[in-house]
Amino acid sequence: MVTLRALALDDAPALTRIYSGASVRHTTGRSLTLDQAHDKIRTALARAAESPRAQWSWGILHEGDLIGLISLRRRTPAMGTISYILREDSWGNGYATHAAHQVVTVAFTTAGLNRLEAMHHPDNPASGRVLAKAGFTRVGTADRHTELGAVPYELYALESGA
C-alpha cells in the first residue's frame, strides 16, 4: 500500500533519486540535480496555494520512503491530466497503480473534473498497464515533441462514472 502526501523542501534528495537512472529514460532523459529538485518542490508548493487550483503534486510513499511523484493538472475546467514517476527500485509492485487510483478519486471529487487523460512513451508499456488498471482506456496516440523529434505517445482517457 502507498500513501500520498504534499511535497516538502527536505524531499529534494529523495526527488533526485527518483529522477535518475532508468526512471528518466522515457521522460526528460536527464537526471534532476539537487537545485532542480528544490525548484520543482518550490513550484509545487506555490501551485498548491493558487486559487483556483490548477495543479496538485504528491509524493508517493511506501513504508515512509518517498519512492515517486504523481501530479494532477487541470487543463480545462472539466478535464485534467495525470503523470507519475517512480524510483526504479520500486517498479513492478503496484505502487503507481495505487497512487493513480487515489489521484483519480481526487480528480473526480475534490477537483470536480469529469475527464482525465494520460500519456506514456511507446517503449514503456508498463506505464500503459498502470493506466489500464487505474481504469483508463487507450484512445490513440498523440505526438510529443522531444529533442529527437516527434514521438507518438500512447494516449489514455478516463471519464467520471466510467
Side-chain angles (χ1 to χ4, degrees):
M1 184 56 97
V2 298
T3 56
L4 304 182
R5 69 159 169 78
L7 295 172
L9 285 175
D10 61 357
D11 289 329
L15 214 55
T16 62
R17 288 193 308 275
I18 293 163
Y19 281 87
S20 66
S23 293
V24 296
R25 179 177 357 160
H26 299 303
T27 59
T28 63
R30 292 182 299 277
S31 295
L32 206 60
T33 67
L34 192 58
D35 285 343
Q36 290 168 327
H38 278 110
D39 289 344
K40 189 172 197 62
I41 293 167
R42 281 188 202 95
T43 298
L45 295 173
R47 288 184 175 158
E50 292 175 348
S51 184
R53 194 160 178 183
Q55 182 169 332
W56 295 256
S57 296
W58 298 274
I60 303 170
L61 285 85
H62 177 257
E63 297 179 356
D65 186 22
L66 186 65
I67 60 165
L69 178 70
I70 189 163
S71 297
L72 169 64
R73 291 171 185 85
R74 183 184 307 275
R75 299 299 186 185
T76 71
M79 192 276 288
T81 59
I82 69 166
S83 60
Y84 48 86
I85 184 170
L86 288 182
R87 199 174 64 208
E88 180 181 3
D89 65 350
S90 64
W91 293 352
N93 294 296
Y95 303 145
T97 302
H98 286 286
H101 277 290
Q102 292 177 57
V103 171
V104 165
T105 299
V106 169
F108 292 151
T109 58
T110 305
L113 301 175
N114 61 28
R115 179 182 172 89
L116 286 175
E117 294 181 356
M119 295 190 301
H120 75 84
H121 192 282
D123 293 338
N124 186 8
S127 193
R129 289 190 296 276
V130 165
L131 294 169
K133 289 176 188 175
F136 286 76
T137 302
R138 186 183 176 281
V139 294
T141 61
D143 283 346
R144 188 165 185 191
H145 298 283
T146 70
E147 293 174 356
L148 303 174
V151 176
Y153 272 59
E154 302 294 323
L155 181 61
Y156 286 72
L158 175 61
E159 303 281 338
S160 173

